[in-house]
Amino acid sequence: MNSLIPLLIAAPLAGAALLLLGGRRLDRSGHWIGVLAAAVSFAFGLVLFFQMLGRPVSQRAVDVKLFSWISVGGFQANAAFQLDQLSIVFVLLITGVGSLIHVYSVGYMAHDERRRRFFGYLNLFLAAMLLLVLADNYLLLYVGWEGVGLASYLLIGFWQHKVSAATAAKKAFIVNRVGDVGLSIAIMLMFTQFGSFTFSQVFAAAPQESRGGLTAIGLLLLLAACGKSAQVPLQSWLGDAMEGPTPVSALIHAATMVTAGVYLITRSNAIFDLAPDARLAVVCVGAVTLLYGAIVGCAKDDIKKALAGSTMSQIGYMVLAAGLGPIGYVFAIMHLVTHGFFKAGLFLGAGSVMHGMNDEVNMRYYGGLRKHLPITFATFGLGYLAIIGFPGLSGYFSKDRIIEAAFAEGGTEGWILGLTALVGAAVTAFYMTRIMLMTFFGERRWQPDGKGELPHPHEAPRVMTLPMIVLAVGSVLAGGLFTINDAFVNWLTPVTGHSEGNSPLSSGTVTLITIVCMVAGIGVSYLVYGRSAVPVNPPVGSALTRAARRDLLQDDINHALLVRPGSALTAALVYFDVKGLDGVVNGVSATIGGLSSRVRRVQNGYVRSYALSMFGGTLVLVATTLLMRSV
Amino acid sequence: MSFLLTATCAVPAVGAVVTAALPAGTTEARRRTSRATALGFSVAALVLAAVIAARFSPDGPRYQLTESYSWIRAFGISFSFGVDGIGAVLVLLTAVLVPLVMLASWHDAAPDSGDSVAGTPAPDGSFENNRRTQGFFALILAVEAMVLVSFLATDLFLFYVFFEAMLIPLYFLIGGFGDRAGGPEQARQRSYAAVKFLLYNLLGGLVMLAAVIGFYVIARDQNQGTFDLQALTRAIADGKLVIDSSAEKALFLGFFFAFAVKAPLWPLHTWLPNAMGESTAGTAVLITAVVDKVGTFAMLRYCLGLFPNASKFFAPGILVLAVIGILYGALLAVGQKDIKRLIAYASISHFGFIIMGIFAMTSQGQSGATLYMVNHGISTALLMLLAGFLISRRGSRLIADFGGVQKVAPVLAGTFLIGGLATLSLPGLAPFVSEFLVLVGTFTRYPALGIIATLGIVLAALYVLVLYQRTMTGPVKASVSGMPDLKARELLVAAPLIALTIALGVYPKPLTDLVNPAVADTLVQVHRTDPAPVHPVAATPGGVTK
C-alpha cells in the first residue's frame, strides 16, 4: 500500500502535464481535470492517514525508495519518500485546502481564457509542495522547494501582460533563490560532514558534529526558510505576490509555499535541538517578523496586502515557536494547520468581495458590504474571529499555546518573546478588526469603475461559496478538535519531541492576558474605524504609518543596498569587458595589424585566404620542427 | 578490431563532401535535396554514436572499441581511436545536437538571408545562393566530423591536428552566415568576430603545438617516443616517463592555454560573445555547445592525464579564475542588451562551473563537470535556437525590441521559458544535477570557493528571468503583434531538447554510469581521492538505512 505515496505526487503532476500539454481541446473541461487531480491526491492522503492511524506508534513512519537518482562516488541521492506523522499533516493540509481552492478557482477564473493553464499551474504547485514534504532527503526536498518557487513564479505572474505582475513574479523567484543559496550550502556542508544528506542519516550523525558545525547548518537552513516563508530579511516578495489571482494568494499563504520554511525547521529538529545559537536566530527572526508583518498589515488599504502582512506575521509566530525547540515545534505545526484553514478562508473571502466589487481591492472604497455579501460576510467573519484568537475558535487554541510556549522558554528571553507575542496578538486584533470594519461595516464608499458605473456587489456563485463555508467550519472547529486529549501534540511528539518548559506564568494567566490584549486591539480599532466614518482618501498619517504603507521601506533598503550597487557594478563590468580586456587585445592586434597592413592591402582583404595561409604556416612550422628534431 | 569509431567520424566527413559536391541549381528542389542530404548524414552519425554508447561497457577498460592505423611511423604518430565514458557522452551530445542545429537552421542560408562577408552576388543572383545553402550545411558536417575525431582520438598528434583544423570551417561559418537582417555594418561586425575567433584560437593552438613538440622530445629522450595517449599515460603511471617539474609546468601551461581559450576561461573569453552574437543561432550553438566542449574535455583528458603534478600545482589558481568567470559571466549577462550576447555570457559563466569541477579533482566535481558539458549543451542549444526563432521573426537581436511575446506566441514563450529554467539550473531539470555535483565536489575540498560560486545561482535567476520578462511579458509591442507561434519544424527542434532536459534531470543514471569509471581513472592518474566525511555515517552506497 506504500505505493500510494508516489501516487500522491503523481496525481497532480499528471494533471499538470495533461493540462499544460493538452492544448485547446481541453479548454472546456480542463478545470475539472485539475480539480479531480487534486481531489484524488487528497483521497490518497486520507487513505494513507487512516492506515497510519491503524498502526502502532513505532511503525507509523514508512519509507519508499523509487530509484537511485544521482550516484557519484560517496554522493548518493535517492528518489525516496518518507511518510511520517509530520508529513501526513502537511499532505492533508496541502491536498485538502488545495482541493477547496481548486474548486473555488473554477468559479473565480470562469471568465479567464487561460483558465486551463491556470489549473495546470495549480496542480504543479501541489505536486511540488507534496514532493517537498515527502522527500526523505534534503536534495529531493530541494527539488520540491524550487518546484514550489517555479509554480509560484508562474502563478504570481499569471497575468503576465501586466508589467507589475511580471515584475512581482520575478522578484519572488529571485528573492527565494537567495534563500536557496542557504539550502544548497547546507546540503553541501551536511555532505562534507556526514557524507549524507538523507534525513535519517544526518539526524543520526548530528550528535557527533561540533556545535559550530550544527549552528552553521542551522543558520543556513534558516536562511532558506526565510526565503520561502517570507521572514525578515527575505520578506519583500510576499506583498508584491498579491499580483497573482486571489486563489493563488490563498494557496501560497495557507496550504503551500510559506509553510515550507516552518516545515524545514521542524523537520530538521534533530539539528536545531543541538544548536541553541541557531535556534536563538530562529526565534529572533520569528519575533521580528511577527511584529513587522503586523505593523505592515495595519497600514495597508489594499485588502489583499493587509492580509499578506497578516500572513507574514502569523508565519512569524510559527517560526518563533519552531525556534523554541521541543517546547514549540508541535504548536508551530498546529498553528500552521489552523492558519491554513482561516487564512485560506479569508483570502477566498477577499476574492469573493473583489468578485462582487469589480476587482476593487482598496478597502477605502468598500463599506457596508455585509448585507450584499451575506455568505462571504459570515465565512470571512468566522475566519476573522479565528485569526484574532476568539475563545473557542481555532486560532485561540494554537496561538495561545505559542504565546505560552514563548514564556516557557524561561529567563529574560522568555519574557521578551512572550511579551512580543502578546503585543502581536493585540496588533493582530487591531488590523483584522480594521479590515472587517472597513469592508463590511460603515457606510458605502463605493467608487465608479472605469466606465463610470457603481459596483453592484453580489454574492459569488455556489462553487465559490462552498469552499469558503467548508474552510469557515474548519476555522471554527479545528483548534478545538486538535486539543481534545492533546491529540495533536501526541500525534507529532514521536517526530518532533515535546517538552512543556517551565513558564513563569500559569497557563490560565497567559490565556487571560492574551484575551485582554485581543479585546484591547479590537477596542482601539473600533474607536478609529467603527465610531467615525472612514475617509475615502487616506490621511497623511504619522511617519511610522507612512513607512508601514511602504512596507517599512523594505524595497528602498534593498534598492540602496543591493540593486543600485549591483547595477553600477554590472555597468562598470560591461564597460571593462569591451574597453578593458578587449582593448588590450585589440591594442596588441593593432600593432601587428599595422605591420601587416601593407601585406593585407596587397591581398585585397581576403581574410579567408589569410587565415588559410596562417594555418598552412602552422603546419609548415610543425613539420619543420619535427624534422629538425629527428635529424 | 571494429571500424565503428572511424566510421562515426567518417560519416559526417563524407557527408560534408557529398553535400558540397551536389550539383548546384537554382530551384528550391535542389536546395531541399542538399539540406536533406546533410541531415541524412548527421542522422546516420547519430545512429552510429548510439551504437557506440550501447556497445560501451562501463565495467570494461577505460578505452574501448579501439582502432589504430599507422600514419607517420617515424614519430610514433598513428590514427588511433578509442572511446572512454567521458568521450562517449560527448560524442552522443554532438551527434544529437548537429541534426537539430541543421533543422533549426533550415532557412538560415537561404537566398534572402543576407550577404556573406565577400558580399558579392553572383551575376545571375541565384546560383551562388544555392551554393551558399550547400556550403553552410557542408561546413556544419565538417565541424561535426572534426569534433568527433577530437573526442575519439587517442593519439596526441591526431587530436592536435583536428583540434586546430576545426577552426577553418568554423571561421567560414561565423564570417559567412549571419542573422537574416544583416546590413553592411553587421557584415563588418561579423567579419571582425570571425577574425577575432580565429586569431584567439590560432594563438592558443600555436602555443599548444610548441608544448606538444616539447613533450614529444622529452618523451623520446626517455625512449617513449610516441604520441599514443594510452602508452604515454601508462609510462607516466609506471614511472618510465618522468618529466622534470618545471618542464611539466611549462608544458601543462602550453596545453592549458589552448584549451582555456577554446573553453573559454576568464579572461580569455572575449571572442565568444562576438562569435556567438554575430553568427547564426545554429552556428552559435555549434560553437558553445559542441566545439567549446573540446576545450574542457581536453583539460580533463590531456592536462590531467599527462601532467598530473602540474595540474595539482596550478589547480588553485585555475579554480580562482573559474570562480571569477562564474560571477563575471553572470554579471555581464545581466547587463547585456543583445539576446545572443546575453546567452554567450551565460555560457562563459557555465564554463566557469565546468572548469571548476574539473580542477576541484573530486569524483563529484569531475563527473559533475562532464555532465555539465552535456547538460549545458542541451540547455544552451534549446535557449539559443529558440532565441534564433524569436530573432528571425522580428529581425532584431535587441531585447528592447521585444515585449509581450507570450500573448501572441505562447508556445514559443513557454518553450523559451523552459530553456531559461534549464539555464538557471532549476532542480528537476538536467543542469541542476551537474551544477550541484560541481558545487558539492568543489565545496568538499575548497569550501570558500564553493560558497562564492553558489552565489552564481542567484545571478543566473536574475539574467534568465530579466530576459524572459523583457521579451515575453508585459503589453504586446506593436512590432511584435502578429508574430507567428512556433512552426512544426521549430517544435521538432525544441521537443527533443526539452524531453532530454527533463529525462536527464530525473534519471541521469545512464550518463553517470558511463562517466564515473573514466573519472575514477582520471583521479587515479592525478593521485587524488575524495575527501572523507568528517563524521561518516555507516553508509550503504545507493541504499537507505532504516
Side-chain angles (χ1 to χ4, degrees):
Chain A
M1 281 311 270
N2 291 342
S3 56
L4 270 187
I5 297 173
L7 289 181
L8 269 176
I9 304 170
L13 195 61
L18 189 64
L19 291 173
L20 295 177
L21 298 175
R24 290 178 199 285
R25 75 200 85 130
L26 291 180
D27 273 355
R28 288 180 55 197
S29 58
H31 45 286
W32 290 115
I33 297 176
V35 171
L36 184 71
V40 164
S41 191
F42 180 55
F44 288 157
L46 281 177
V47 171
L48 286 164
F49 171 66
F50 284 111
Q51 284 177 351
M52 189 183 279
L53 212 54
R55 289 196 298 270
V57 172
S58 60
Q59 292 167 26
R60 280 187 174 154
V62 287
D63 297 309
V64 184
K65 184 189 162 187
L66 284 189
F67 55 87
S68 165
W69 175 32
I70 307 174
S71 161
V72 176
F75 188 95
Q76 300 292 335
N78 290 322
F81 304 118
Q82 170 188 330
L83 184 75
D84 65 0
Q85 292 93 328
L86 179 60
S87 25
I88 193 76
V89 169
F90 274 87
V91 165
L92 292 177
L93 176 73
I94 295 162
T95 56
V97 175
S99 297
L100 290 172
I101 295 170
H102 273 70
V103 172
Y104 176 92
S105 304
V106 170
Y108 192 85
M109 300 298 284
H111 304 297
D112 196 299
E113 55 179 7
R114 291 159 73 230
R115 176 164 68 168
R116 169 178 58 86
R117 197 182 294 192
F118 184 78
F119 276 85
Y121 296 160
L122 285 187
N123 274 192
L124 183 65
F125 213 144
L126 291 196
M129 192 68 195
L130 287 168
L131 180 61
L132 196 164
V133 299
L134 286 170
D136 91 330
N137 64 75
Y138 282 98
L139 199 68
L140 193 63
L141 176 147
Y142 190 13
V143 176
W145 189 264
E146 281 250 324
V148 166
L150 169 66
S152 66
Y153 170 79
L154 295 169
L155 284 167
I156 294 168
F158 186 72
W159 288 319
Q160 289 184 340
H161 53 276
K162 285 164 64 184
V163 174
S164 53
T167 309
K170 181 189 69 185
K171 183 175 178 183
F173 195 94
I174 289 169
V175 173
N176 268 289
R177 268 251 153 160
V178 176
D180 294 347
V181 170
L183 186 54
S184 294
I185 298 175
I187 297 172
M188 293 178 214
L189 196 54
M190 287 177 203
F191 179 70
T192 311
Q193 298 300 311
F194 311 124
S196 170
F197 36 82
T198 303
F199 294 147
S200 56
Q201 299 192 354
V202 170
F203 300 157
Q208 302 166 34
E209 173 64 2
S210 69
R211 189 164 151 175
L214 289 168
T215 304
I217 295 175
L219 290 176
L220 289 163
L221 292 175
L222 173 63
L223 178 63
C226 283
K228 276 282 171 295
S229 289
Q231 299 292 294
V232 176
L234 298 180
Q235 80 290 356
S236 69
W237 62 272
L238 191 72
D240 294 5
M242 293 301 116
E243 287 292 337
T246 309
V248 175
S249 308
L251 199 56
I252 289 179
H253 290 237
T256 61
M257 189 107 179
V258 295
T259 58
V262 183
Y263 172 79
L264 183 68
I265 294 172
T266 310
R267 173 55 78 197
S268 311
N269 61 74
I271 292 169
F272 282 98
D273 286 350
L274 298 167
D277 303 322
R279 280 220 317 274
L280 180 64
V282 175
V283 289
C284 289
V285 164
V288 168
T289 311
L290 90 82
L291 287 182
Y292 192 109
I295 292 169
V296 169
C298 292
K300 293 286 183 186
D301 291 332
D302 178 325
I303 186 169
K304 285 172 76 182
K305 292 202 169 167
L307 287 174
S310 152
T311 299
M312 204 187 283
S313 171
Q314 297 302 312
I315 304 281
Y317 272 105
M318 298 170 209
V319 170
L320 167 65
L324 295 172
I327 315 173
Y329 292 129
V330 178
F331 302 125
I333 301 302
M334 188 158 116
H335 193 53
L336 191 149
V337 176
T338 58
H339 176 259
F341 282 112
F342 52 71
K343 188 50 66 67
L346 288 169
F347 264 113
L348 296 188
S352 171
V353 170
M354 288 163 57
H355 181 85
M357 293 291 287
N358 297 343
D359 287 331
E360 180 59 64
V361 289
N362 190 343
M363 294 187 289
R364 292 192 184 276
Y365 301 160
Y366 290 169
L369 289 174
R370 68 178 185 281
K371 289 190 201 107
H372 303 272
L373 303 167
I375 301 176
T376 306
F377 170 64
T379 57
F380 196 95
L382 289 171
Y384 156 74
L385 292 175
I387 193 174
I388 63 170
F390 193 83
L393 274 71
S394 285
Y396 163 77
F397 293 101
S398 52
K399 196 191 288 178
D400 189 58
R401 301 299 293 269
I402 291 179
I403 298 172
E404 280 178 39
F407 280 111
E409 173 79 355
T412 326
E413 213 179 302
W415 279 102
I416 295 173
L417 296 173
L419 290 174
T420 309
L422 279 175
V423 172
V427 183
T428 305
F430 172 83
Y431 68 72
M432 285 309 302
T433 308
R434 174 175 177 267
I435 294 175
M436 274 307 274
L437 291 173
M438 285 176 83
T439 305
F440 293 104
F441 292 88
E443 305 154 12
R444 298 174 181 182
R445 299 178 302 276
W446 308 348
Q447 303 292 314
D449 63 6
K451 292 173 208 145
E453 284 177 40
L454 278 178
H456 303 282
H458 52 279
E459 193 55 88
R462 181 88 41 89
V463 73
M464 286 167 68
T465 51
L466 220 57
M468 288 156 57
I469 293 168
V470 175
L471 287 168
V473 171
S475 309
V476 173
L477 296 180
L481 288 175
F482 290 162
T483 35
I484 296 173
N485 295 328
D486 274 341
F488 202 84
V489 175
N490 294 333
W491 177 255
L492 279 185
T493 300
V495 181
T496 61
H498 185 64
S499 76
E500 289 297 331
N502 40 9
S503 178
L505 303 170
S506 76
S507 174
T509 318
V510 174
T511 307
L512 197 67
I513 303 173
T514 309
I515 294 174
V516 169
C517 285
M518 179 192 80
V519 172
I522 297 174
V524 174
S525 193
Y526 179 73
L527 288 177
V528 181
Y529 299 98
R531 286 266 300 275
S532 52
V534 177
V536 172
N537 294 314
V540 179
S542 66
L544 178 65
T545 311
R546 288 200 301 273
R549 281 187 192 135
R550 292 180 64 84
D551 302 290
L552 298 177
L553 309 180
Q554 62 187 16
D555 289 339
D556 307 76
I557 294 168
N558 285 347
H559 262 268
L561 290 181
L562 296 170
V563 177
R564 242 169 274 143
S567 310
L569 175 66
T570 306
L573 285 181
V574 170
Y575 183 82
F576 167 75
D577 199 61
V578 177
K579 301 289 175 192
L581 277 183
D582 251 12
V584 174
V585 176
N586 285 345
V588 174
S589 60
T591 319
I592 300 168
L595 292 173
S596 63
S597 63
R598 276 178 211 164
V599 186
R600 198 159 49 190
R601 227 171 280 142
V602 172
Q603 294 188 344
N604 285 332
Y606 277 119
V607 191
R608 300 177 193 179
S609 50
Y610 188 45
L612 261 178
S613 65
M614 215 163 160
F615 185 72
T618 312
L619 286 181
V620 171
L621 193 71
V622 177
T624 321
T625 327
L626 281 173
L627 282 171
M628 292 301 285
R629 287 303 311 184
S630 63
V631 171
Chain B
M1 197 159 74
S2 81
F3 304 100
L4 183 58
L5 301 188
T6 318
T8 310
C9 301
V11 162
V14 171
V17 175
V18 170
T19 307
L22 281 176
T26 54
T27 57
E28 176 63 24
R30 281 281 167 80
R31 279 171 22 82
R32 212 175 294 136
T33 313
S34 53
R35 287 183 305 210
T37 308
L39 185 63
F41 276 99
S42 71
V43 170
L46 172 59
V47 172
L48 290 175
V51 175
I52 292 177
R55 290 187 48 187
F56 185 86
S57 145
D59 307 324
R62 173 155 179 188
Y63 292 101
Q64 300 181 21
L65 304 169
T66 51
E67 303 169 37
S68 190
Y69 315 94
S70 61
W71 183 14
I72 312 175
R73 209 163 289 170
F75 302 114
I77 297 172
S78 59
F79 271 103
S80 295
F81 293 101
V83 63
D84 69 350
I86 299 169
V89 296
L90 291 171
V91 165
L92 271 180
L93 171 74
T94 308
V96 167
L97 287 185
V98 168
L100 295 175
V101 163
M102 286 187 180
L103 209 54
S105 312
W106 211 237
H107 299 299
D108 279 355
D112 62 344
S113 65
D115 53 350
S116 65
V117 174
T120 47
D124 64 345
S126 53
F127 181 77
E128 196 200 48
N129 285 331
N130 205 13
R131 275 274 174 237
R132 264 173 71 71
T133 307
Q134 283 174 263
F136 184 74
F137 284 88
L139 286 169
I140 291 178
L141 282 172
V143 172
E144 179 179 23
M146 291 172 181
V147 168
L148 289 175
V149 173
S150 306
F151 287 142
L152 293 172
T154 51
D155 184 280
L156 185 53
F157 191 78
L158 180 67
F159 169 81
Y160 171 75
V161 168
F162 281 86
F163 179 80
E164 282 293 271
M166 73 177 83
L167 299 181
I168 300 169
L170 276 168
Y171 168 76
F172 290 114
L173 276 174
I174 298 168
F177 305 88
D179 290 327
R180 299 176 101 182
E185 171 55 25
Q186 210 166 341
R188 215 171 6 257
Q189 288 289 330
R190 199 154 63 226
S191 168
Y192 170 72
V195 174
K196 191 172 177 183
F197 160 81
L198 191 69
L199 288 179
Y200 260 81
N201 284 280
L202 217 48
L203 183 63
L206 285 173
V207 175
M208 182 186 166
L209 178 63
V212 168
I213 294 165
F215 182 63
Y216 173 78
V217 170
I218 291 174
R220 201 191 51 174
D221 290 349
Q222 299 182 34
N223 293 322
Q224 304 291 336
T226 176
F227 284 93
D228 185 75
L229 180 65
Q230 294 190 72
L232 286 170
T233 47
R234 215 177 305 122
I236 290 168
D238 298 345
K240 286 180 190 152
L241 174 52
V242 183
I243 310 175
D244 160 71
S245 167
S246 58
E248 188 189 348
K249 284 174 193 161
L251 294 176
F252 170 88
L253 286 180
F255 277 65
F256 184 77
F257 182 69
F259 304 150
V261 167
K262 188 150 281 187
L265 176 67
W266 186 89
L268 302 171
H269 64 276
T270 61
W271 64 269
L272 188 71
N274 290 84
M276 284 177 70
E278 301 306 326
S279 57
T280 69
T283 308
V285 169
L286 217 52
I287 294 170
T288 191
V290 177
V291 171
D292 287 352
K293 300 295 154 48
V294 181
T296 47
F297 162 82
M299 286 179 196
L300 194 50
R301 177 178 281 186
Y302 293 98
C303 285
L304 269 57
L306 297 178
F307 315 109
N309 297 317
S311 298
K312 277 189 285 192
F313 177 81
F314 287 111
I318 293 170
L319 285 168
V320 170
L321 291 180
V323 172
I324 292 175
I326 291 171
L327 299 180
Y328 185 92
L331 278 170
L332 263 288
V334 173
Q336 293 306 306
K337 298 184 175 74
D338 174 320
I339 300 175
K340 283 161 88 182
R341 286 178 68 92
L342 187 153
I343 299 174
Y345 279 105
S347 281
I348 290 166
S349 180
H350 288 147
F351 279 108
F353 276 106
I354 297 175
I355 295 169
M356 183 172 88
I358 292 172
F359 283 93
M361 299 201 190
T362 57
S363 58
Q364 290 85 30
Q366 295 190 344
S367 285
T370 309
L371 289 194
Y372 211 124
M373 295 183 214
V374 176
N375 295 336
H376 167 263
I378 296 168
S379 62
T380 306
L382 180 61
L383 190 65
M384 186 52 120
L385 294 177
L386 286 163
F389 300 152
L390 184 70
I391 290 164
S392 70
R393 281 163 166 70
R394 171 71 181 77
S396 167
R397 307 197 313 245
L398 290 182
I399 295 169
D401 285 343
F402 296 88
V405 172
Q406 61 88 25
K407 195 89 176 165
V408 288
V411 179
L412 173 54
T415 46
F416 190 75
L417 181 62
I418 296 175
L421 294 172
T423 301
L424 64 77
S425 296
L426 187 83
L429 301 180
F432 170 73
V433 175
S434 38
E435 189 163 295
F436 200 85
L437 281 172
V438 165
L439 284 171
V440 90
T442 307
F443 185 88
T444 52
R445 185 157 281 145
Y446 306 95
L449 289 174
I451 290 171
I452 298 170
T454 307
L455 299 179
I457 71 171
V458 179
L459 295 174
L462 195 60
Y463 63 69
V464 166
L465 296 184
V466 168
L467 172 66
Y468 182 80
Q469 184 187 354
R470 295 202 180 140
T471 52
M472 301 296 175
T473 70
V476 181
K477 282 204 177 161
S479 55
V480 165
S481 64
M483 182 179 275
D485 212 335
L486 283 191
K487 290 182 284 234
R489 172 180 59 84
E490 295 167 329
L491 212 52
L492 198 61
V493 173
L497 293 171
I498 291 173
L500 278 174
T501 308
I502 294 172
L504 294 177
V506 176
Y507 198 66
K509 200 170 181 315
L511 292 190
T512 48
D513 282 351
L514 283 175
V515 168
N516 284 341
V519 164
D521 186 54
T522 308
L523 288 174
V524 171
Q525 287 175 343
V526 292
H527 308 293
R528 277 288 203 185
T529 49
D530 288 347
V534 182
H535 310 288
V537 276
T540 48
V544 189
T545 54
K546 203 175 185 182

